[in-house]
Amino acid sequence: MAGGSSPSPAAAPVQVRCAGCRGVLAVGPGMTEFICPKCHMAQRLPPQLMPKSTSSSSSSPPPKPPAKPSLPPSTQPRRGAPPAQGVDPTKIQLPCAHCQAVLNVPHGLARFRCPQCGVDLAVDHAKLQNFLASSNSAPPSGLAPASGPTTQVPPVPFLQILQPGVAQPLQLVAGATIPMVLPAAEPEEINEVAIDVEREEDEGGTVGETFTDYRPPKLSLGLSHPDPVVETSSLSAVQPPEPTYNLNIMDELDETKALSCLQIETIVYACQRHLHHLPTGDRAGFFIGDGAGVGKGRTIAGLIWENWQQGRHKAVWVSVGSDLKYDARRDLDDVGAKCVQVHPLNKLPYSKLDSKAIGIKNGVIFVTYSSLIASSERGRSRLQQLVQWCGHEFDGLLVFDECHKAKNLIPDAGSQPTRTGKAVLEIQEKLPEARVVYCSATGASEPRNLGYMVRLGLWGEGTSFHNFPQFLGALEKGGVGALELVAMDMKARGMYVCRTLSYKGADFYIVEAPLEERMMNMYRKAAEFWAELRLELLSASELIAEEKGNSNQIWRLYWASHQRFFRHMCMSAKVPAVVRLAKEALAENKCVVIGLQSTGEARTEEAVTKYGVEMEDFVSGPRELLLKLVEENYPLPPKPDSFQQGEEKFTEIQRKRHSAQDVSFKGRVRKVAKMVDVSDDDTDDYSPSESDHESTESDEEFHMCQICNTEEEKSLLLHCSSCSRHVHPNCLTPPWTGMLTDDWACYTCKIVEDEEIEQDAHVADFSKRYDAAVEKKLKILDIIRSLDLPNNPLDDIIDQLGGPDNVAEITGRRGMLIRALDGKGVVYQARNAKEVSMEMINMHEKQQFMDGKKLIAIISEAGSAGVSLHADRRAKNQRRRVHITLELPWSADRAIQQFGRTHRSNQTSAPQYRLLFTNLGGEKRFASIVAKRLESLGALTQGDRRAGPSLSAFNYDSNYGKKALTMMYRGIMEQDSFPVVPPGCSDDEASIQAFIDEAKAALISVGIIRDAVVCNGKDGGKFSGRIVDSDMHDVARFLNRLLGLDPNIQNRLFDLFTSILDVVLHNARIEGQLDSGIVDIKAKKIEMKESPKTVHTDSLSGALTVLFTFTIDRGRTWESAKAMLEERQKDGAGSSNDGFYESRREWMGRRHFILAFEGSTEGMYKIIRPAIGDALREMPSTELKSKYRKVSSIDKVSKGWQEEYDTSSKQCMHGSKCKIGSYCTIGRRLQEVNILGGLILPVWGAIEKALAKQVRQIHKRIRVVRLVTTNDSQRIVGLLIPLSHNITKLQIDFSHCLSFA
């Protein structure tokens, strides 16, 4: 390397870690600039990997190689990691003073932690300024590493290792910077306070009120709804189109008052929407997204009656259950449509509905989703039957009630569309003129579940999206903000309504039910048993290794049973809490509704089949599940009977061998015949009978050799005792020379006998192995039977709350176990009594509860669909309902439906909800699934993701959760360091290593770490293995498998995961990447600057896309700030730390001033700034004291406060030389804000193009904002358009986009 002609060591590709996504890249030789193929960040090689300068202008010899690597072995942060990271050209490259790693430092960042060695660093800006000046004047050869020649750039230390508790600047080695990417030294841009303000603004605005009271904004028909109804404040800011449709049934409704103003409004807009056709030629559809209990059924009945009056006497009503036909009949009667017949399709034959045999000419065909996909034995489907009855020109109502049942038409990757979703799509295609109504409170819990709503016209011809996948991709890319736009867009076009009953008075509490000691021991032993069972199955599976398909099936069943088992254990752990809460509610004169999803009926019926109808105790679901898993799937070697075929073959050989004839006689005949043939004597005096007769005396002395076929004396031939053959000793191969014994056997028989002995030994061996496996299986079954496991929760709860006489069961099971009359044992009996049929048992039980004869009801999804259990004013039982969720439903759809059983219209009191979780971290797996749906559900069906019951704290299965899981796994596998200290560990390396070893063992036991082996040598006793790529970000699998661990390590792993997730979310928030949905813009003054500009008009509804421009003043005057402090001190609510503070660091010769109050949480302070008023986040006291100091001089504060207040009206915090110029809004008091309101989807393409050109990352995201003008209280919700030079270009893009739309 010293010689100038030596080949470059960089001839091979070098490995560099990407500065953006941190993936490992292979950079080709000679390449210094590159783009990451994954995150597309443009970057350069770090200095230590840069090729040495060969400039001809330099006469100096090539610089010597570095004396030491930039990352010494002692400071290597992770095993096998690339030695350097790519250079982000938008940041300053500075080497760490400790490990010498080159870091990408954002401009203005003063304090940070080295990601390589973990030491705390801080920048000395004064020394950095001198360094920048010297670096920018250095020749190109200054690209050499720090250890190279020191004559080019003086080693100016400007970063030092920050000692704990000592406020001193850090020092970085100067030589590792890259002069070509350093900006000019402008101290105006290095403003610590501006950095803080920028982060606060990137985090989003404040959260305003979620709901507003609802009344139809443009209709004044009908009476008010009987209960308070609300709409999200986001949707309330969107106005629907003007109503132009006149109802035929309005006069009748004025008399009967059967429908409220909300229901009439829905009918008007639905009928108005049905007058239009989409560009595809299909009739436009309508979406009723009202919440549970608002009265969607009666609204549908009103729509049917209105269409009946218009002469459309055929309608199809698709719903979830056949029992709901009674509700349909009731709703039609209530609106006055008693003449309209309801025909349940499942009770009718498959022949033509309008035939003479059936005779249905008009009315409502009521069909369930399950019937919609049914077909007869002859192949005729219900779908074909409906289409034939309607006819191709059918223009009546086609109602999809509870249309969330048709979801998953566009499923996730790897799964198939549901038959129901395809049937719903097909019937819409075959009836293009049908007036389609989608009706569900949960119809769009995920954007992909909109796939069957083709009549809304959100994609396809005449829209910004050619097809649904393109529409779906745009929404998923845009995040929650994009989803919120869909709901607002649909309302603005007049095809969507979404109101919900007010939840005022309804309480949502998440109740933690800690495991009792007995349950904790039970759970721990169960976890140990499952781990041992897994090892047993691994060992037993080796016996059937050749049957790979069977092995895979075993493990699928194992993990499915594993999840079901511990889910059942979690339910059982909550039984004591359920019983306690229920008894407390009854003592407070309330009644109780307990919700669960599974009843354990299958396990109960299996136990009854095995043990009979009388048993000693209730069935243990977990035990029966384990028994079934082992009994039916424990791998056994082939039975010894399987060798029967081989034995039969051997027996056949023996049979043939022993039945072989003695060929000596025949041999003689053949020989004599041969002699006769060759004789010259032509006489035919020879007679075989005579010859035989003549030779009978010599038969006993002569035999034929069956090898050479010659006759020989018996004494000279060998006789086989097995096959009875006679042979010459010399005819055998090899010739026989041994002694002749009575039991001599020929070679052939000897081989067969040896094979028989070997076969017998083989069968005996397999029989032994089989018997051992069976014995092992029986032993495992005995262990399962001896385990202390909980009973079926449903039976247990009913028993502890007084039995079936006190508890109304509304489920789908047919039988139940009840305590015997003598108290000894339990008896299985049918749920229905003699006077009540099984079909009506749930209705009977419901009535018992509503009449107050039973004050506790237990409901499951199967039995409670459409059931009303609220405190109805018409019911005898008007006690307040306490709704306890023993088992959280699998999806938000089911959760909302279950919550809606007890919260409905016309109730005397709102329910109290109690959501039970154990203190097991793994159980939050189920909460995670539902919370993910609820968050998205609130965004789509209500326009605001905060609208649903708040379970967002339990939403872990997100992109951020996947990133946190990957970071945790890498830390456990010792591929990277943990970003946080694991729970229960101190900072010392020994405790962290002990946790890693324990975590590895735990993850091995639940199959996440695979191919595990115990290391030898210096790492002796440690585990090694691998986690497959698909598992690295599979949060669902992690939370699922977590259930099967000991509660101690389970909770420690879960706490580590959530702690890392908090760090990931915090970093995303700081970087402006966190998707915060709709945020509120708050200011002391918000006014519209000029008249809104219309950029698009919808051809169907006339709805507009409008660009608003507002001026806002966010500042706080000195007088106002001083008055706030004086008032707080007067009230005595303040603390000694309240007051005015000034920044410790100067900026352009001035200091920043703030007013700090102690916040709602101890140690946190609310900050008020002159330029932006109230800060969006509270500041910890440690940060406050490190960055600011308290000021006692009011005159000093007054002057500084006023100067900053006045200056911020015209410029940002970066000063007059800000690189963005007048378009920068950081810390600017007076601003212009552009909001695109109204319809957004038609101009989606133009928006994406404009936002993609923004400089700041936060400006590239879809951001939906909400504000209220201070002068006229006008509420505006829309898309925030960054104020920049692109705004004019954006308007041009709009015009160009819409000119050919």
Side-chain angles (χ1 to χ4, degrees):
M1 292 179 64
S5 60
S6 299
S8 172
V14 295
Q15 282 193 332
V16 180
R17 189 176 294 282
C18 173
C21 64
R22 296 185 62 80
V24 178
L25 309 177
V27 182
M31 183 181 297
T32 60
E33 298 182 0
F34 53 92
I35 297 177
C36 175
K38 183 176 180 181
C39 66
H40 307 294
M41 172 180 279
Q43 46 200 301
R44 296 185 176 90
L45 283 178
Q48 60 265 43
L49 297 182
M50 278 286 189
K52 296 178 175 58
S53 174
T54 56
S55 174
S56 59
S57 61
S58 176
S59 59
S60 61
K64 296 179 180 180
K68 60 179 181 178
S70 60
L71 282 175
S74 60
T75 61
Q76 286 289 342
R78 57 184 71 91
R79 301 174 185 175
Q85 178 172 306
V87 170
D88 183 353
T90 65
K91 297 181 175 66
I92 305 175
Q93 283 68 52
L94 303 174
C96 172
H98 180 253
C99 68
Q100 304 299 311
V102 178
L103 310 178
N104 294 305
V105 182
H107 296 284
L109 186 61
R111 288 178 172 83
F112 54 93
R113 176 174 290 184
C114 176
Q116 302 282 10
C117 65
V119 301
D120 291 324
L121 304 172
V123 181
D124 188 324
H125 296 300
K127 294 180 180 179
L128 175 63
Q129 179 180 354
N130 297 331
F131 167 75
L132 294 174
S134 62
S135 296
N136 288 331
S137 61
S141 59
L143 292 175
S147 53
T150 58
T151 58
Q152 313 223 357
V153 179
V156 183
F158 53 90
L159 287 178
Q160 293 179 340
I161 299 176
L162 188 62
Q163 301 298 329
V166 180
Q168 62 179 1
L170 294 177
Q171 295 187 358
L172 292 181
V173 180
T177 53
I178 302 178
M180 69 176 66
V181 299
L182 291 176
E186 296 186 6
E188 294 85 359
E189 294 186 3
I190 304 173
N191 184 347
E192 191 177 61
V193 176
I195 298 294
D196 291 341
V197 172
E198 181 175 2
R199 289 176 180 173
E200 290 174 5
E201 294 185 358
D202 286 353
E203 287 180 13
T206 57
V207 177
E209 78 285 356
T210 302
F211 295 103
T212 57
D213 293 333
Y214 183 82
R215 270 198 66 87
K218 297 186 177 182
L219 278 175
S220 57
L221 303 174
L223 299 177
S224 299
H225 204 69
D227 289 279
V229 175
V230 294
E231 186 182 37
T232 62
S233 53
S234 306
L235 273 180
S236 66
V238 179
Q239 292 296 311
E242 292 294 329
T244 58
Y245 184 87
N246 294 318
L247 288 177
N248 273 21
I249 61 172
M250 195 60 235
D251 294 338
E252 184 179 345
L253 293 177
D254 286 336
E255 294 179 8
T256 62
K257 300 187 174 21
L259 297 176
S260 69
C261 57
L262 273 69
Q263 294 163 323
I264 294 175
E265 179 193 34
T266 303
I267 296 173
V268 168
Y269 278 115
C271 292
Q272 185 170 314
R273 173 74 175 172
H274 287 155
L275 297 177
H276 299 285
H277 285 76
L278 301 176
T280 59
D282 294 343
R283 190 179 297 276
F286 190 82
F287 185 5
I288 303 175
D290 289 337
V294 173
K296 295 186 292 294
R298 191 171 290 196
T299 301
I300 295 172
L303 272 168
I304 293 173
W305 187 228
E306 171 66 21
N307 278 273
W308 185 280
Q309 298 292 345
Q310 296 285 356
R312 294 180 282 272
H313 293 172
K314 286 184 177 182
V316 177
W317 190 335
V318 188
S319 192
V320 291
S322 57
D323 288 345
L324 297 179
K325 65 179 179 290
Y326 301 113
D327 294 334
R329 177 71 271 167
R330 180 201 61 207
D331 291 332
L332 285 169
D333 291 344
D334 289 343
V335 299
K338 295 182 179 181
C339 62
V340 180
Q341 297 296 313
V342 178
H343 309 283
L345 188 62
N346 64 328
K347 301 294 185 182
L348 300 174
Y350 279 86
S351 56
K352 292 183 179 180
L353 296 176
D354 53 3
S355 63
K356 292 182 179 180
I358 301 178
I360 298 177
K361 302 297 182 183
N362 54 41
V364 177
I365 299 295
F366 191 90
V367 56
T368 63
Y369 286 99
S370 57
S371 294
L372 193 63
I373 60 176
S375 59
S376 66
E377 295 179 355
R378 297 182 179 181
R380 182 171 175 81
S381 67
R382 291 294 191 189
L383 182 61
Q384 295 171 343
Q385 190 180 20
L386 282 174
V387 172
Q388 184 276 327
W389 181 72
C390 293
H392 184 71
E393 301 298 326
F394 173 74
D395 62 351
L397 274 179
L398 175 57
V399 180
F400 296 105
D401 194 7
E402 306 294 349
C403 60
H404 53 272
K405 289 293 182 181
K407 64 183 181 181
N408 291 340
L409 176 66
I410 310 294
D412 293 325
S415 56
Q416 296 297 320
T418 59
R419 292 175 58 200
T420 304
K422 291 192 288 185
V424 168
L425 190 64
E426 184 179 350
I427 194 172
Q428 292 179 86
E429 292 174 350
K430 293 186 175 181
L431 302 175
E433 286 294 325
R435 286 169 158 78
V436 177
V437 175
Y438 310 104
C439 182
S440 173
T442 58
S445 57
E446 282 193 349
R448 66 178 61 251
N449 290 343
L450 292 169
Y452 60 89
M453 297 187 184
V454 292
R455 297 295 183 89
L456 297 181
L458 298 177
W459 60 87
E461 187 177 340
T463 69
S464 298
F465 312 99
H466 298 300
N467 49 41
F468 180 72
Q470 186 179 357
F471 171 78
L472 178 63
L475 292 192
E476 292 180 341
K477 181 180 178 182
V480 176
L483 306 184
E484 289 163 343
L485 290 174
V486 175
M488 295 186 290
D489 201 274
M490 290 193 296
K491 180 183 175 182
R493 294 201 219 183
M495 58 173 155
Y496 177 64
V497 292
C498 178
R499 295 75 50 102
T500 185
L501 288 180
S502 172
Y503 275 87
K504 291 178 182 177
D507 304 323
F508 280 88
Y509 291 109
I510 294 178
V511 181
E512 185 173 285
L515 272 67
E516 298 177 349
E517 183 178 357
R518 175 175 174 268
M519 190 67 200
M520 181 67 78
N521 293 332
M522 196 183 297
Y523 198 101
R524 185 174 289 113
K525 290 180 180 178
E528 292 173 358
F529 174 80
W530 275 93
E532 293 172 2
L533 177 61
R534 176 175 171 270
L535 295 178
E536 289 290 344
L537 290 176
L538 281 171
S539 176
S541 296
E542 294 178 0
L543 300 176
I544 56 170
E546 68 278 1
E547 302 179 28
K548 188 175 181 180
N550 289 343
S551 179
N552 292 339
Q553 177 69 10
I554 289 173
W555 290 114
R556 281 194 294 269
L557 291 171
Y558 173 87
W559 291 118
S561 301
H562 181 275
Q563 175 179 337
R564 199 175 298 117
F565 177 93
F566 285 102
R567 179 187 177 200
H568 203 128
M569 293 288 287
C570 291
M571 285 178 59
S572 300
K574 290 178 282 189
V575 168
V578 170
V579 174
R580 174 178 54 82
L581 291 173
K583 290 181 177 179
E584 289 175 358
L586 293 177
E588 296 171 359
N589 200 33
K590 301 172 184 175
C591 59
V592 180
V593 176
I594 302 170
L596 46 77
Q597 295 301 112
S598 56
T599 62
E601 181 183 27
R603 304 288 87 78
T604 301
E605 291 185 346
E606 289 170 3
V608 169
T609 302
K610 286 195 295 183
Y611 312 127
V613 296
E614 295 183 3
M615 287 174 272
E616 294 181 359
D617 200 356
F618 292 108
V619 172
S620 171
R623 178 178 289 109
E624 294 302 319
L625 186 145
L626 263 176
L627 289 173
K628 182 177 181 180
L629 173 67
V630 174
E631 285 174 348
E632 298 182 0
N633 300 285
Y634 187 85
L636 296 173
K639 288 185 178 182
D641 296 347
S642 63
F643 296 98
Q644 185 176 3
Q645 181 180 358
E647 293 175 356
E648 289 177 352
K649 185 176 181 180
F650 178 79
T651 304
E652 179 67 15
I653 294 174
Q654 290 282 71
R655 186 186 66 79
K656 291 180 178 179
R657 182 176 65 192
H658 290 292
S659 62
Q661 300 182 26
D662 187 343
V663 296
S664 58
F665 175 76
K666 291 186 177 181
R668 290 179 65 191
V669 172
R670 286 195 298 270
K671 185 176 181 181
V672 173
K674 184 178 180 182
M675 292 171 61
V676 170
D677 288 341
V678 297
S679 173
D680 292 336
D681 190 357
D682 293 333
T683 63
D684 53 357
D685 295 338
Y686 173 72
S687 169
S689 58
E690 290 178 1
S691 175
D692 291 342
H693 177 74
E694 290 173 358
S695 62
T696 52
E697 294 181 355
S698 64
D699 283 346
E700 296 178 359
E701 303 297 333
F702 291 88
H703 280 282
M704 296 290 295
C705 173
Q706 292 187 304
I707 295 178
C708 65
N709 211 26
T710 58
E711 192 173 33
E712 189 64 74
E713 291 184 15
K714 181 178 180 181
S715 60
L716 299 178
L717 296 176
L718 296 174
H719 178 256
C720 178
S721 60
S722 295
C723 62
S724 300
R725 294 197 305 170
H726 293 81
V727 293
H728 287 105
N730 292 331
C731 289
L732 295 173
T733 304
W736 177 260
T737 59
M739 295 292 294
L740 182 63
T741 59
D742 294 339
D743 60 348
W744 181 86
C746 64
Y747 294 148
T748 303
C749 292
K750 184 65 175 175
I751 293 174
V752 172
E753 287 179 1
D754 291 343
E755 287 179 352
E756 181 182 10
I757 295 172
E758 183 180 354
Q759 180 79 355
D760 290 342
H762 192 56
V763 172
D765 179 60
F766 268 83
S767 180
K768 184 178 178 181
R769 291 170 60 188
Y770 178 79
D771 292 341
V774 170
E775 184 179 355
K776 175 69 74 174
K777 176 180 177 179
L778 294 175
K779 186 176 180 181
I780 293 174
L781 292 174
D782 289 339
I783 295 175
I784 294 173
R785 294 187 182 97
S786 67
L787 286 175
D788 184 16
L789 293 173
N791 295 331
N792 181 17
L794 178 56
D795 292 326
D796 212 3
I797 291 173
I798 294 176
D799 182 57
Q800 294 191 45
L801 292 177
D805 293 338
N806 295 331
V807 181
E809 180 182 338
I810 308 173
T811 68
R813 66 176 184 170
R814 296 178 292 275
M816 62 192 303
L817 288 170
I818 63 170
R819 194 66 73 177
L821 294 177
D822 57 2
K824 298 178 181 179
V826 294
V827 179
Y828 182 81
Q829 67 177 30
R831 282 183 54 216
N832 62 309
K834 292 181 180 179
E835 64 275 8
V836 182
S837 66
M838 183 61 72
E839 185 179 0
M840 296 300 296
I841 184 61
N842 282 339
M843 299 301 293
H844 174 75
E845 290 286 279
K846 171 215 168 184
Q847 201 57 46
Q848 292 272 300
F849 176 76
M850 298 300 284
D851 290 342
K853 296 178 181 179
K854 297 181 180 181
L855 297 178
I856 302 172
I858 296 185
I859 62 174
S860 70
E861 182 193 14
S864 64
V867 173
S868 299
L869 299 174
H870 61 302
D872 198 325
R873 289 186 173 90
R874 298 167 293 184
K876 294 179 181 179
N877 179 10
Q878 295 188 9
R879 294 189 181 194
R880 188 174 190 184
R881 273 54 171 164
V882 177
H883 191 138
I884 304 171
T885 60
L886 174 69
E887 183 182 12
L888 201 64
W890 282 102
S891 69
D893 303 357
R894 298 175 179 177
I896 292 297
Q897 293 298 327
Q898 190 186 108
F899 295 154
R901 298 310 100 213
T902 53
H903 184 57
R904 306 180 73 80
S905 294
N906 201 38
Q907 62 189 11
T908 58
S909 59
Q912 294 178 325
Y913 294 101
R914 303 290 182 265
L915 279 63
L916 287 185
F917 294 139
T918 65
N919 56 345
L920 296 170
E923 199 209 355
K924 294 185 175 66
R925 183 267 193 277
F926 307 112
S928 170
I929 295 175
V930 177
K932 181 179 180 181
R933 300 294 192 273
L934 281 176
E935 185 170 333
S936 180
L937 179 70
L940 271 174
T941 62
Q942 296 178 323
D944 191 326
R945 69 191 183 96
R946 299 185 297 262
S950 178
L951 291 176
S952 59
F954 299 104
N955 183 17
Y956 307 109
D957 196 2
S958 62
N959 289 332
Y960 302 111
K962 294 175 182 178
K963 185 175 181 180
L965 181 66
T966 301
M967 294 170 68
M968 185 186 77
Y969 280 161
R970 290 183 63 81
I972 292 175
M973 300 305 293
E974 300 180 73
Q975 298 170 349
D976 212 334
S977 58
F978 291 118
V980 296
V981 177
C985 298
S986 56
D987 289 333
D988 64 286
E989 195 171 318
S991 66
I992 295 178
Q993 187 61 50
F995 169 79
I996 289 176
D997 294 341
E998 187 178 359
K1000 281 184 179 179
L1003 295 180
I1004 289 171
S1005 70
V1006 291
I1008 289 179
I1009 295 181
R1010 310 187 189 187
D1011 303 333
V1013 295
V1014 180
C1015 300
N1016 297 318
K1018 65 177 183 178
D1019 294 329
K1022 294 185 178 180
F1023 292 105
S1024 68
R1026 65 186 181 93
I1027 301 178
V1028 297
D1029 292 341
S1030 60
D1031 283 350
M1032 287 295 287
H1033 51 76
D1034 194 337
V1035 179
R1037 174 165 291 181
F1038 164 69
L1039 293 175
N1040 180 21
R1041 301 284 174 87
L1042 202 62
L1043 283 172
L1045 295 176
D1046 181 273
N1048 180 39
I1049 186 62
Q1050 179 181 151
N1051 289 335
R1052 290 184 72 188
L1053 279 172
F1054 185 79
D1055 291 343
L1056 175 61
F1057 168 68
T1058 53
S1059 299
I1060 296 176
L1061 177 59
D1062 290 340
V1063 172
V1064 171
L1065 291 173
H1066 177 71
N1067 293 339
R1069 189 177 291 110
I1070 289 176
E1071 296 169 3
Q1073 299 291 335
L1074 188 64
D1075 189 1
S1076 54
I1078 294 181
V1079 296
D1080 290 326
I1081 295 179
K1082 297 287 188 180
K1084 70 174 184 180
K1085 183 179 180 181
I1086 302 178
E1087 295 180 352
M1088 192 175 295
K1089 179 181 179 182
E1090 56 190 21
S1091 298
K1093 299 176 182 178
T1094 300
V1095 295
H1096 173 68
T1097 303
D1098 183 54
S1099 59
L1100 287 182
S1101 62
L1104 305 177
T1105 304
V1106 181
L1107 184 65
F1108 300 93
T1109 302
F1110 298 94
T1111 57
I1112 65 173
D1113 186 348
R1114 304 184 295 170
R1116 174 77 69 172
T1117 63
W1118 162 247
E1119 292 76 12
S1120 173
K1122 183 180 179 182
M1124 287 180 65
L1125 179 60
E1126 292 174 349
E1127 183 178 354
R1128 188 173 178 86
Q1129 291 174 340
K1130 182 179 179 181
D1131 295 340
S1135 69
S1136 59
N1137 292 324
D1138 291 354
F1140 291 100
Y1141 289 74
E1142 68 174 357
S1143 60
R1144 293 183 179 272
R1145 294 182 179 274
E1146 288 188 350
W1147 169 71
M1148 296 182 68
R1150 299 198 305 269
R1151 298 184 188 272
H1152 289 283
F1153 292 88
I1154 63 171
L1155 174 60
F1157 294 138
E1158 191 170 22
S1160 56
T1161 306
E1162 185 177 357
M1164 301 296 292
Y1165 285 82
K1166 182 176 178 59
I1167 306 300
I1168 295 95
R1169 302 183 189 273
I1172 65 172
D1174 296 0
L1176 300 177
R1177 71 176 182 93
E1178 293 184 345
M1179 184 180 292
S1181 59
T1182 53
E1183 182 181 354
L1184 175 67
K1185 293 176 181 179
S1186 65
K1187 294 181 179 180
Y1188 299 88
R1189 60 187 173 211
K1190 197 171 183 181
V1191 182
S1192 57
S1193 173
I1194 295 297
D1195 293 337
K1196 181 179 180 181
V1197 177
S1198 172
K1199 181 181 178 182
W1201 190 284
Q1202 193 62 45
E1203 284 182 358
E1204 188 169 345
Y1205 180 85
D1206 294 337
T1207 304
S1208 61
S1209 64
K1210 296 181 180 179
Q1211 69 180 33
C1212 65
M1213 278 191 168
H1214 300 126
S1216 57
K1217 295 184 180 180
C1218 176
K1219 57 185 178 181
I1220 304 180
S1222 60
Y1223 298 109
C1224 182
T1225 61
I1226 303 302
R1228 188 166 181 171
R1229 179 168 64 85
L1230 298 181
Q1231 296 184 20
E1232 284 189 8
V1233 174
N1234 293 283
I1235 297 178
L1236 194 66
L1239 298 186
I1240 303 297
L1241 294 181
V1243 294
W1244 190 271
I1247 293 172
E1248 283 189 325
K1249 292 178 182 178
L1251 295 182
K1253 299 173 183 177
Q1254 296 300 308
V1255 177
R1256 293 181 61 197
Q1257 188 67 31
I1258 185 67
H1259 290 164
K1260 295 183 178 183
R1261 286 198 294 108
I1262 297 289
R1263 291 186 295 164
V1264 182
V1265 297
R1266 174 172 52 198
L1267 60 77
V1268 180
T1269 57
T1270 54
N1271 56 339
D1272 56 2
S1273 299
Q1274 184 178 356
R1275 186 187 301 270
I1276 302 295
V1277 179
L1279 190 66
L1280 181 65
I1281 303 298
L1283 180 65
S1284 68
H1285 58 278
N1286 286 331
I1287 190 64
T1288 305
K1289 178 74 164 56
L1290 178 65
Q1291 297 181 50
I1292 296 173
D1293 286 343
F1294 284 159
S1295 303
H1296 179 263
C1297 173
L1298 299 169
S1299 62
F1300 50 83

